[in-house]
Each structure stands twice: as C-alpha cells, then as structure tokens.
Amino acid sequence: MNSRPELHTLLRRDEIETTVKRLAAEISEDYQGKSPLLIGILKGSFVFMADLVLLLDFPLEVEFIRLSSYSRSRQSSGRIKMVQGLCSEIRGRDVLVIEDIVDTGLTTSFLLDYLRRKEPASLKLCSLTDKPSRRGVPITIDYLGFTVPNKFIVGYGLDLDEKFRNLPEIYVLEDKCQIK
Ligand code: IMP
Ligand code: MG
C-alpha cells in the first residue's frame, strides 16, 4: 500500500513561473543602482530563491539563515530558534529577506526584529506565499507571490516533515487540510 497522502495542485508550474518573473521585475526596478543582500530562510525558500536570483541581473549577494520553530509538524510552535545565523555584516546594507510562506507571522516577525537590530540601510520582505487567515502578528510583505487559503501546502520547497520539497508545483494536502 502506498501511504502517500492525496495531493491536489493549487499552483501550477506556469503560474509559479509567471509570478516569479513578476516578482523579479518588481525587485529589479526597486533595487536599480543598489547592491542588496538577499537572505533566504532555510529550508523552505531554497527553490524559490534559486529561481528568483536567476532572473535578477544586477549585483547582489546571497546569504542564508536557518530557523527552527521547535516543531516538525504543521503547527508553528511560536518558539523560534536560530539554527544557522548570518555570516555577513548587514549594517548599512540593503537587505531583502526571501521567505516561502508567512503563516502566523511569528517566524518572520522574530527574524525581522533580529535583522532590524543590526541596522541595515533598508529591510524588505519577499514571500512566495501568504496565508493571512492565520496571522497573529502584523507583517508587511513588500513583494508577495500568492495569497493561499488556510490549507497545508507542500512542494516547490515547502515541506511536510521534510518531505515533498522537490515537487515542482504547489499542492494542498487533502487529508488534513483545515488547520485548527
Ligand atoms: P509562521 O511562523 O506560522 O508564519 O510559519 C512559519 C513556518 O511554518 C514557515 O516558514 C513554514 O516552514 C511553516 N509553514 C506554515 N504553513 C505551512 C504550509 O502550509 N506548508 C508548509 N510549511 C508551512
Ligand atoms: Mg517547514
């Protein structure tokens, strides 16, 4: 028996490609003449970030931070730990954070507070997806790909217990799609 849960396509390849191109165009326009540092939040943003940077043809640098919310399940525990921090100085730099999803907002809010204390010249957020129905803290997303429903999504970097990150489209997990 194959125990793989039922997956239903939410965002197709062509929709993702069109949206990543749109985000790259918006970012390119705003960062003309600058040399920003893009900080990808591991692990979920790695596929999105790779596709995005290939479409940015101005000087930039790439960094990664790995956060963990003390939980391997579908619920953010709200207790955030930095598993891998920054290797670059960000004081006085234009910093653009790249996220896969903003759900309750706890992870992003923790991260933005941490980065703001390091006094970058500017700090903006780009997220592939936004699940606003579960937001607990206000978050401004400067560059947003898709608003998604209150369902658990996987693929294109997003995981369930470390699986499904390699799927090329974004799917809804149909077995337990309503998160309480
Ligand atoms: P937040 O702190 O509740 O905003 O959630 C942050 C993290 O929870 C994200 O970076 C994801 O790793 C994970 N997450 C939240 N919703 C989903 C989802 O629908 N699919 C996969 N991961 C999710
Ligand atoms: Mg995750």
Side-chain angles (χ1 to χ4, degrees):
M1 274 282 287
N2 186 353
S3 61
R4 181 175 165 137
E6 217 177 308
L7 301 177
H8 287 272
T9 304
L10 178 69
L11 299 166
R12 296 185 315 266
R13 275 300 308 158
D14 61 308
E15 296 175 287
I16 295 171
E17 276 171 24
T18 303
T19 293
V20 175
K21 276 187 198 148
R22 173 187 45 91
L23 292 172
E26 290 173 17
I27 291 167
S28 298
E29 194 174 323
D30 291 355
Y31 286 88
Q32 274 312 318
K34 297 184 174 169
S35 173
L37 177 67
L38 271 59
I39 303 181
I41 310 310
L42 294 173
K43 301 178 191 170
S45 71
F46 83 107
V47 180
F48 170 46
M49 183 151 167
D51 279 352
L52 183 70
V53 295
L54 291 177
L55 299 173
L56 301 177
D57 63 353
F58 54 86
L60 59 83
E61 289 170 38
V62 165
E63 262 278 4
F64 294 95
I65 286 180
R66 185 161 167 213
L67 299 172
S68 144
S69 69
Y70 288 95
S71 159
R72 274 172 53 86
S73 70
R74 301 168 199 216
Q75 289 279 35
S76 181
S77 69
R79 294 167 57 223
I80 321 289
K81 186 171 81 171
M82 191 162 301
V83 181
Q84 181 193 315
L86 281 174
C87 303
S88 307
E89 173 69 58
I90 68 162
R91 192 188 177 95
R93 305 268 334 244
D94 293 303
V95 171
L96 177 60
V97 172
I98 312 292
E99 278 272 27
D100 53 350
I101 186 163
V102 182
D103 184 13
T104 65
L106 290 169
T107 308
T108 312
S109 151
F110 169 91
L111 177 76
L112 294 177
D113 286 349
Y114 168 83
L115 295 174
R116 211 171 279 119
R117 284 198 295 275
K118 297 188 176 290
E119 302 180 342
S122 69
L123 181 59
K124 286 191 176 187
L125 173 65
C126 170
S127 184
L128 178 67
T129 64
D130 179 21
K131 209 192 277 182
S133 47
R134 301 202 338 125
R135 191 74 90 259
V137 283
I139 299 283
T140 301
I141 303 175
D142 301 284
Y143 306 97
L144 172 64
F146 302 97
T147 299
V148 296
N150 185 16
K151 312 236 169 154
F152 199 85
I153 59 173
V154 295
Y156 198 66
L158 289 145
D159 74 307
L160 170 65
D161 294 342
E162 297 301 326
K163 296 189 186 66
F164 308 119
R165 293 193 196 276
N166 55 317
L167 299 179
E169 306 197 306
I170 294 181
Y171 303 84
V172 168
L173 270 175
E174 284 298 346
D175 58 343
K176 286 184 194 151
C177 53
Q178 262 329 106
I179 305 168
K180 290 174 196 86

